[in-house]
Amino acid sequence: MAQDDVFKKLVAHCKEYGYVFQSSEIYDGLGAVYDYGQYGVELKNNIKKYWWDSMVLLHENVVGIDSAIFMHPTIWKASGHVDAFNDPLIDNKDSKKRYRADVLIEEQLAKIEDKINKEVEKAAKRFGDSFNEQQFRETNQRVIENQQKWDNLHTRFAKALNDGNLDELRQIIVDEEVVCPVSGTRNWTEVRQFNLMFSTEMGSTADGAQKIYLRPETAQGIFVNYMNVQKTGRMKIPFGIAQIGKAFRNEIVARQFIFRMREFEQMEMQFFVKPGTELDWFEHWKTIRMNWHKTLGFGDENYRFHVHEKLAHYANAAVDVEYRFPFGFKEVEGIHSRTDFDLSQHEKFSGKKIRYFDPELNESYVPFVVETSIGVDRMFLQVISAAYCEEQLENDMRVVLKIPPVLAPVKLAVLPLVKKDGLPEIAREIIDDLKFDFNCQYDEKDSIGKRYRRQDAIGTPFCVTVDNQTLEDNTVTIRYRDTMAQERVAISQIGSIIGKQVSYKTLFARL
Ligand code: GAP
């Protein structure tokens, strides 16, 4: 099935099974804003717990905070967001559609990369075990030509971005003959910068209202609390501050479902280090974060690092963790070495000292910062894209979400085979016994086959069926979502069988 079709089905599935709804749907929706349904919110909470505990429980030098969304407006002046938090936009004059110029060029690069990969895949099939990929890439004429094209375009693009050269970005789009997907024409406007921050007013106009911003990242709430946490927590460098919270960006090109939203959630950790050690710590956190992703078991080959073409003015190193979504490799998380830029700027703009006294050096300095920053919603999309499967069975088809059990919204469904003979009562007793440990669901409607399908569709890893044999020997059938295998177990064993597989401890032991 084409990847586009898979993605469309995934979006429809998220709606049909209570994972994600369009915001304000009965009023025809609000662009790039989404609500999470009864299962979506559980998955989201589980993702947040996986991140939070892996940061705050597993690292004794990382602590958490929860700062306000509204902050003093000077913070955004100091951080550079008022002047420089911009996207380069271009409009197609015929369709009147607006695009990000850098994204149009990145898509062009991805198309060339796709051509190369297809060529390599074809050859790998043809030559089988004797295939030498490196040799093929170095000798095949079509691959060499496309690689040359990619390299030239990439160099030109990176230079235009680094120079902030908007005319050159436009010229690349023209030279590459990029067409608008809606009108099919190449009738482009100039490229312009557009600030992404939302603003509102605080206080009544009579008192003199103040223009304030909805935070576009949670990180600044951490920077301005650095001294508070360092002092009250008696933190010694190196140490980190973690936070999960909402962020807002007026994304002009908001596409691909919850991949790019206007209101979203971030999980960010700022790690404060001694100047000069930041690049070692950057490597350290790259390894930790990549492991965190791969431990979920969605296939190591589906992750890669992408080194930034253009470093933000405050960074001396930056990479993205990319995942292979149905629409290609895309960023899930950013890891940035942010130097001492933010703390120094806040020192300058607030007039307050933001320093660390290092007892070993017997001197004070402004710490450097390594940041890990991941979107909750983008991680949610990553999990759900990886989990979505359509399986052809002997007489049937099933759609199943193979969400890792520890993240699954419902862990256990308890199903009485029939609605009589005391079976519903036993099923309720099982739930009453386990509901403090696991999210359980009771279902007695329809045939057992239909009930299994419903649980597969929401990703429940275990179903327990209570039948007449249960009345005789206190055993039930436990059915495993991924293999559909069934086994007979004692009711008293259910908790321990499930417990191990849905425990964060088991997952953390693999990190
Ligand atoms: N503090 C650094 C920072 O905000 P970023 O690369 O702009 O860096 C970090 O964002 C992460 O936040 C991204 O990797 C992505 O997962 C998520 N993110 C950013 N913009 C988003 C949007 N419009 N919708 C959903 N997630 C977004």
Side-chain angles (χ1 to χ4, degrees):
M1 200 187 325
Q3 290 299 292
D4 266 4
D5 295 339
V6 174
F7 193 60
K8 274 188 201 140
K9 285 188 175 186
L10 180 72
V11 174
H13 190 87
C14 281
K15 178 175 178 204
E16 192 180 343
Y17 287 93
Y19 271 87
V20 183
F21 306 125
Q22 172 74 61
S23 159
S24 322
E25 194 184 351
I26 59 169
Y27 290 95
D28 296 332
L30 187 64
V33 186
Y34 291 90
D35 299 335
Y36 287 85
Q38 63 277 23
Y39 300 121
V41 69
E42 297 288 345
L43 172 57
K44 209 174 170 208
N45 285 341
N46 294 342
I47 289 172
K48 288 196 262 187
K49 183 170 169 57
Y50 178 40
W51 184 87
W52 185 267
D53 287 359
S54 74
M55 283 291 173
V56 174
L57 289 190
L58 302 193
H59 296 98
E60 63 180 74
N61 59 350
V62 178
V63 293
I65 62 163
D66 182 18
S67 70
I69 288 173
F70 291 151
M71 293 196 278
H72 196 287
T74 310
I75 287 172
W76 304 110
K77 192 78 192 145
S79 67
H81 284 82
V82 171
D83 297 320
F85 193 52
N86 300 323
D87 272 349
L89 298 182
I90 190 165
D91 292 19
N92 181 271
K93 291 182 193 164
D94 300 317
S95 67
K96 311 273 184 259
K97 291 276 173 205
R98 186 162 283 179
Y99 300 91
R100 264 176 62 178
D102 55 334
V103 171
L104 287 182
I105 299 170
E106 276 168 8
E107 283 172 357
Q108 198 67 10
L109 281 165
K111 272 188 202 157
I112 304 174
E113 206 179 334
D114 256 10
K115 275 190 197 160
I116 297 174
N117 290 340
K118 279 202 182 113
E119 210 68 58
V120 173
E121 273 167 31
K122 242 179 16 200
K125 263 196 204 138
R126 202 167 54 231
F127 294 114
D129 287 345
S130 62
F131 182 58
N132 179 335
E133 183 176 329
Q134 193 187 343
Q135 191 185 31
F136 180 77
R137 282 179 183 271
E138 285 167 2
T139 52
N140 180 278
Q141 204 47 39
R142 271 196 297 271
V143 171
I144 293 172
E145 277 166 21
N146 276 321
Q147 190 59 52
Q148 191 66 48
K149 250 195 214 164
W150 191 93
D151 290 342
N152 291 344
L153 177 56
H154 183 257
T155 310
R156 196 175 162 199
F157 174 45
K159 181 163 172 17
L161 279 182
N162 275 316
D163 297 348
N165 188 340
L166 302 184
D167 291 342
E168 174 66 353
L169 284 180
R170 180 178 190 278
Q171 198 53 48
I172 295 175
I173 290 170
V174 171
D175 293 349
E176 287 295 314
E177 302 184 346
V178 174
V179 294
C180 165
V182 177
S183 66
T185 70
R186 298 184 213 143
N187 197 4
W188 298 108
T189 61
E190 298 307 304
V191 176
R192 282 163 300 120
Q193 294 288 19
F194 181 87
N195 193 286
L196 298 180
M197 278 200 295
F198 284 104
S199 64
T200 184
E201 303 221 316
M202 184 176 264
S204 72
T205 29
D207 299 342
Q210 195 176 25
K211 179 175 178 181
I212 55 166
Y213 298 97
L214 297 189
R215 65 181 179 198
E217 62 170 11
T218 60
Q220 296 303 324
I222 293 179
F223 290 126
V224 297
N225 277 296
Y226 158 78
M227 286 304 285
N228 285 335
V229 175
Q230 194 272 319
K231 281 198 174 135
T232 58
R234 293 182 295 117
M235 306 302 292
K236 293 203 168 36
I237 271 179
F239 75 91
I241 305 178
Q243 164 156 243
I244 299 180
K246 289 267 184 171
F248 305 84
R249 295 183 190 177
N250 194 4
E251 300 280 2
I252 292 308
V253 186
R255 268 183 302 163
Q256 282 154 340
F257 193 36
I258 55 173
F259 183 81
R260 200 176 298 287
M261 303 156 88
R262 296 198 168 107
E263 173 181 340
F264 57 101
E265 227 172 334
Q266 286 186 316
M267 306 189 278
E268 298 201 292
M269 196 277 300
Q270 315 297 131
F271 199 69
F272 300 93
V273 304
K274 194 162 102 182
T277 64
E278 72 277 9
L279 293 180
D280 292 337
W281 284 111
F282 175 70
E283 290 303 323
H284 174 83
W285 281 105
K286 267 173 67 182
T287 309
I288 290 193
R289 293 306 302 149
M290 189 54 110
N291 268 347
W292 183 89
H293 285 278
K294 289 184 175 173
T295 298
L296 288 176
F298 292 129
D300 291 3
E301 69 286 1
N302 292 320
Y303 298 89
R304 70 182 188 191
F305 283 121
H306 166 79
V307 179
H308 281 204
E309 323 297 347
K310 181 192 174 197
L311 285 179
H313 54 287
Y314 51 75
N316 65 0
V319 290
D320 296 333
V321 175
E322 292 190 339
Y323 175 74
R324 196 200 302 260
F325 285 96
F327 42 85
F329 270 105
K330 295 277 175 210
E331 170 187 351
V332 179
E333 169 159 7
I335 301 164
H336 314 121
S337 173
R338 285 180 84 131
T339 67
D340 59 352
F341 175 81
D342 301 87
L343 292 183
S344 297
Q345 284 292 99
H346 290 308
E347 208 180 57
K348 194 164 118 196
F349 278 73
S350 68
K352 309 271 169 24
K353 281 251 169 291
I354 305 183
R355 303 269 157 146
Y356 176 73
F357 177 74
D358 192 325
E360 279 169 26
L361 300 177
N362 200 25
E363 67 177 45
S364 296
Y365 52 75
V366 178
F368 272 45
V369 172
V370 174
E371 158 185 83
T372 73
S373 174
I374 172 169
V376 179
D377 314 86
R378 215 170 268 189
M379 184 61 198
F380 181 108
L381 184 60
Q382 196 248 267
V383 170
I384 211 110
S385 316
Y388 182 87
C389 291
E390 291 180 6
E391 284 181 359
Q392 189 57 52
L393 309 176
E394 224 169 88
N395 304 313
D396 196 5
M397 226 278 288
R398 73 164 183 159
V399 175
V400 53
L401 292 184
K402 294 187 175 174
I403 300 172
V406 65
L407 299 183
V410 178
K411 309 296 188 209
L412 171 69
V414 185
L415 320 170
L417 190 61
V418 289
K419 282 188 252 177
K420 56 181 186 178
D421 301 338
L423 303 189
E425 288 75 11
I426 297 176
R428 294 275 183 207
E429 273 171 32
I430 294 174
I431 289 183
D432 281 344
D433 188 38
L434 296 175
K435 70 182 177 196
F436 302 106
D437 297 315
F438 315 113
N439 192 342
C440 302
Q441 196 170 85
Y442 175 85
D443 190 3
E444 60 176 23
K445 196 167 177 292
D446 297 322
S447 70
I448 200 76
K450 275 195 182 155
R451 281 183 268 171
Y452 283 155
R453 290 291 167 272
R454 272 204 292 272
Q455 296 300 330
D456 286 344
I458 61 168
T460 307
F462 309 99
C463 288
V464 154
T465 303
V466 179
D467 55 20
N468 286 322
Q469 194 182 327
T470 312
L471 299 170
E472 289 162 23
D473 61 7
N474 271 328
T475 64
V476 289
T477 304
I478 185 161
R479 182 239 191 209
Y480 299 94
R481 175 195 68 197
D482 296 351
T483 57
M484 294 187 290
Q486 301 190 10
E487 62 178 332
R488 200 85 203 165
V489 301
I491 289 177
S492 58
Q493 283 181 295
I494 301 172
S496 65
I497 294 175
I498 296 173
K500 243 184 239 136
Q501 299 199 48
V502 303
S503 113
Y504 286 90
K505 199 170 164 185
T506 312
L507 191 64
F508 289 146
R510 297 209 300 265
L511 276 177

